Amino acid sequence: MTAHEEGETLVSLTGVNKHYGSLHVLQDINLQVKRGEVVVVIGPSGSGKSTLCRTINRLETIDEGTITIDGKELPAEGRQLAQLRADVGMVFQSFNLFAHKSILDNVTLGPIKVNKQDKAGAEKDAMALLERVGVGKQAPKLPAQLSGGQQQRVAIARALAMKPKVMLFDEPTSALDPEMINEVLDVMVQLAKDGMTMIVVTHEMGFARKAADRVVFMADGQIVEDAEPEEFFTNPKSSRAKDFLSKLL
Ligand code: ADP
Ligand code: MG
């Protein structure tokens, strides 16, 4: 926390508004994330958490406001967008690995195609990343030969292979069997310790307590609370947050 106080802002959302028809899904969102900071986003289903994530790398457009990554505003489209998008790694609930490609190829594809890295270098880096997330031995296999927890760790390695400045996780453990949740959370905790800037949508409060610098609580498209984890969990201010937490415990 204190370590980041002086840090520069890496991700900035200012006055962001978005509608889906008559639904005001993001309402005046202001969120600043500093380099190296870990922000956990929680809130009821339908509160706009996934939409928030998707706007940060322009998988969704916004109606109003500004989003910058490392000081640069996201362009609406084109080559510049592809470059800026590479700064933002994303891990989803469903792992979305390429089913007919090996684990190794899943990780090297982006670096070779998008970052124009040579194959040998990409494979060396990919192996190091796969080892780091504990699935080095699985490199020649196909995704279906791996457990869900292993596939999600590959998805994390694949995102890291692009050398992103920030990693977004949207409920990365929600689709996993309970016994596999911790092996993925452990990788995320280590990533946080290594200094990665992370925005993590999760209901895993253990992770929030262990790794988060801040907890952002969303409800009905608004950021209702933004506090340090201890403060948020022990002394939530809004009735919405109190109600949400009481149902979790
Ligand atoms: P959360 O991730 O917090 O559960 P979402 O961001 O997925 O919430 O959704 C927020 C609201 O926006 C929900 O009411 C959802 O039904 C609606 N929504 C999400 N995506 C779309 C879409 N593509 N078109 C219309 N409505 C959408
Ligand atoms: Mg969601």
Side-chain angles (χ1 to χ4, degrees), residues 49-50 170-171 201:
K49 306 180 298 295
S50 292
D170 190 2
E171 303 206 28
V201 178

Side-chain angles (χ1 to χ4, degrees), residues 168-238:
L168 305 182
F169 294 84
D170 190 2
E171 303 206 28
T173 59
S174 298
L176 297 175
D177 292 334
E179 71 271 20
M180 291 172 191
I181 291 176
N182 279 329
E183 66 190 50
V184 172
L185 292 178
D186 288 348
V187 166
M188 293 167 60
V189 168
Q190 193 55 51
L191 198 55
K193 283 189 181 146
D194 291 345
M196 178 58 77
T197 309
M198 297 163 65
I199 299 172
V200 183
V201 178
T202 185
H203 291 158
E204 295 292 334
M205 296 303 120
F207 174 82
R209 282 177 185 271
K210 209 184 292 180
D213 295 297
R214 275 158 60 203
V215 173
V216 165
F217 176 74
M218 282 188 77
D220 296 331
Q222 294 175 325
I223 292 179
V224 178
E225 300 203 26
D226 183 342
E228 290 185 8
E230 260 333 288
E231 188 189 336
F232 177 74
F233 290 119
T234 56
N235 188 23
K237 303 219 163 23
S238 62

Side-chain angles (χ1 to χ4, degrees), residues 11-241:
V11 180
S12 174
L13 287 82
T14 311
V16 170
N17 282 280
K18 179 176 179 64
H19 298 78
Y20 285 125
S22 62
L23 176 68
H24 196 171
V25 62
L26 295 179
Q27 302 180 27
D28 235 334
I29 299 290
N30 293 291
L31 178 65
Q32 265 72 42
V33 181
K34 289 174 184 164
R35 200 182 292 280
E37 204 174 19
V38 177
V39 174
V40 162
V41 180
I42 65 173
S45 178
S47 56
K49 306 180 298 295
S50 292
T51 305
L52 178 74
C53 281
R54 293 165 59 81
T55 61
I56 292 176
N57 66 353
R58 281 280 156 103
L59 287 170
E60 299 277 358
T61 57
I62 56 175
D63 303 330
E64 224 186 301
T66 314
I67 302 174
T68 63
I69 309 286
D70 213 2
K72 282 177 245 146
E73 193 168 345
L74 287 181
E77 56 194 9
R79 197 179 166 75
Q80 267 185 311
L81 176 61
Q83 267 165 16
L84 268 190
R85 211 177 248 166
D87 288 341
V88 182
M90 188 131 184
V91 174
F92 302 90
Q93 182 174 333
S94 54
F95 332 122
N96 297 329
L97 298 177
F98 301 111
H100 303 291
K101 294 199 181 293
S102 72
I103 295 307
L104 184 65
D105 287 348
N106 263 278
V107 179
T108 58
L109 204 68
I112 291 171
K113 289 253 153 83
V114 182
N115 289 359
K116 307 293 178 204
Q117 198 179 358
D118 65 288
K119 189 161 184 261
E123 288 186 348
K124 187 164 167 279
D125 292 353
M127 280 313 302
L129 284 169
L130 289 170
E131 297 288 353
R132 180 169 158 197
V133 302
V135 290
K137 287 201 179 69
Q138 319 300 327
K141 295 185 184 168
L142 290 172
Q145 295 173 277
L146 274 60
S147 72
Q150 288 174 322
Q151 289 188 55
Q152 191 61 303
R153 284 182 283 151
V154 173
I156 294 171
R158 180 175 61 174
L160 291 174
M162 299 299 284
K163 301 190 170 69
K165 291 179 177 165
V166 53
M167 287 279 286
L168 305 182
F169 294 84
D170 190 2
E171 303 206 28
T173 59
S174 298
L176 297 175
D177 292 334
E179 71 271 20
M180 291 172 191
I181 291 176
N182 279 329
E183 66 190 50
V184 172
L185 292 178
D186 288 348
V187 166
M188 293 167 60
V189 168
Q190 193 55 51
L191 198 55
K193 283 189 181 146
D194 291 345
M196 178 58 77
T197 309
M198 297 163 65
I199 299 172
V200 183
V201 178
T202 185
H203 291 158
E204 295 292 334
M205 296 303 120
F207 174 82
R209 282 177 185 271
K210 209 184 292 180
D213 295 297
R214 275 158 60 203
V215 173
V216 165
F217 176 74
M218 282 188 77
D220 296 331
Q222 294 175 325
I223 292 179
V224 178
E225 300 203 26
D226 183 342
E228 290 185 8
E230 260 333 288
E231 188 189 336
F232 177 74
F233 290 119
T234 56
N235 188 23
K237 303 219 163 23
S238 62
S239 56
R240 292 296 306 259

